[in-house]
Amino acid sequence: GEVTGGMQHIASVPGPALMWEFIQLIYGAEGVAWRTVLTIVLDQLRNLYFYFQLQMTAYFADVLFAKEPDTITMFPGWSTGLLVPGDREGSARVLGILYVLPMVVISAWDSTQVLVDLEGRIRGFLSACLFRKYLNYSANSRESVKSSDMEEALLKKTTTTAEAYCQVVELGRIL
């Protein structure tokens, strides 16, 4: 309805509704759904690691460096005293390993994100859709579109649009 009514009707489409439709379109593209879910889930590793660091700060003060080690709740449902019972030095070693190991996993995920290439997949999908639409134009319509406009749409606008989707996915990590 809105598109056939001209620019005035197109401008009247609510922004959030348009964004939701855009997200659904992109999410439904081949290979995008699993990449999106994988990115959202594995990006949570940073949040978990941050939570872990906060808990370790409390662990240092309340357990490891305390005169009389206490127990603290590390995660909901899991309380602990010294990680190696009766051995502060051993507990500190275990803690050091637990501190470094997630950094390796997060670094591996950062490297893997390049291979997952969510943004590139979306850019390819949008470029293919746009070019297919262009090829379906009548000869007169194709002649009315400047090649520079088509080039800009294929190279710049699809990149900007793909970046927008990836920014929405990144909101999942922040939240």
Side-chain angles (χ1 to χ4, degrees), residues 44-59 63 71-81 83 94-95 98-99 102:
Q44 293 304 314
L45 291 174
R46 285 182 181 80
N47 294 340
L48 289 172
Y49 185 59
F50 181 68
Y51 178 78
F52 175 75
Q53 288 175 315
L54 292 174
Q55 291 300 87
M56 288 304 98
T57 302
Y59 181 84
V63 178
T71 60
I72 66 164
T73 302
M74 296 293 281
F75 298 99
W78 181 45
S79 296
T80 187
L83 296 174
V94 169
L95 198 60
L98 291 175
Y99 192 83

Side-chain angles (χ1 to χ4, degrees), residues 8-30:
Q8 182 180 3
H9 288 267
I10 291 173
S12 71
V13 176
L18 187 60
M19 186 66 170
W20 177 246
E21 290 299 323
F22 165 70
I23 289 170
Q24 287 180 317
L25 171 72
I26 299 300
Y27 187 80
E30 184 180 339

Side-chain angles (χ1 to χ4, degrees), residues 19 40 43-44 165-175:
M19 186 66 170
I40 290 171
D43 275 352
Q44 293 304 314
Y165 181 86
C166 291
Q167 291 298 314
V168 170
V169 170
E170 185 154 335
L171 282 174
R173 181 178 79 197
I174 295 169
L175 301 176

Side-chain angles (χ1 to χ4, degrees), residues 56-136:
M56 288 304 98
T57 302
Y59 181 84
F60 284 138
D62 296 344
V63 178
L64 199 58
F65 297 138
K67 288 183 182 183
E68 307 252 343
D70 196 5
T71 60
I72 66 164
T73 302
M74 296 293 281
F75 298 99
W78 181 45
S79 296
T80 187
L82 289 173
L83 296 174
V84 178
D87 185 5
R88 288 177 194 259
E89 193 173 305
S91 293
R93 284 190 189 107
V94 169
L95 198 60
I97 292 168
L98 291 175
Y99 192 83
V100 171
L101 191 59
M103 285 191 271
V104 172
V105 173
I106 289 169
S107 178
W109 166 236
D110 287 343
S111 297
T112 304
Q113 270 187 308
V114 172
L115 299 174
V116 169
D117 194 21
L118 178 61
E119 187 177 319
R121 174 66 67 153
I122 295 166
R123 198 172 43 249
F125 169 74
L126 291 171
S127 295
C129 289
L130 184 62
F131 196 67
R132 189 177 311 113
K133 189 70 161 173
Y134 175 75
L135 290 177
N136 287 330

Side-chain angles (χ1 to χ4, degrees), residues 1-6 9-10:
E2 289 88 1
V3 175
T4 57
H9 288 267
I10 291 173

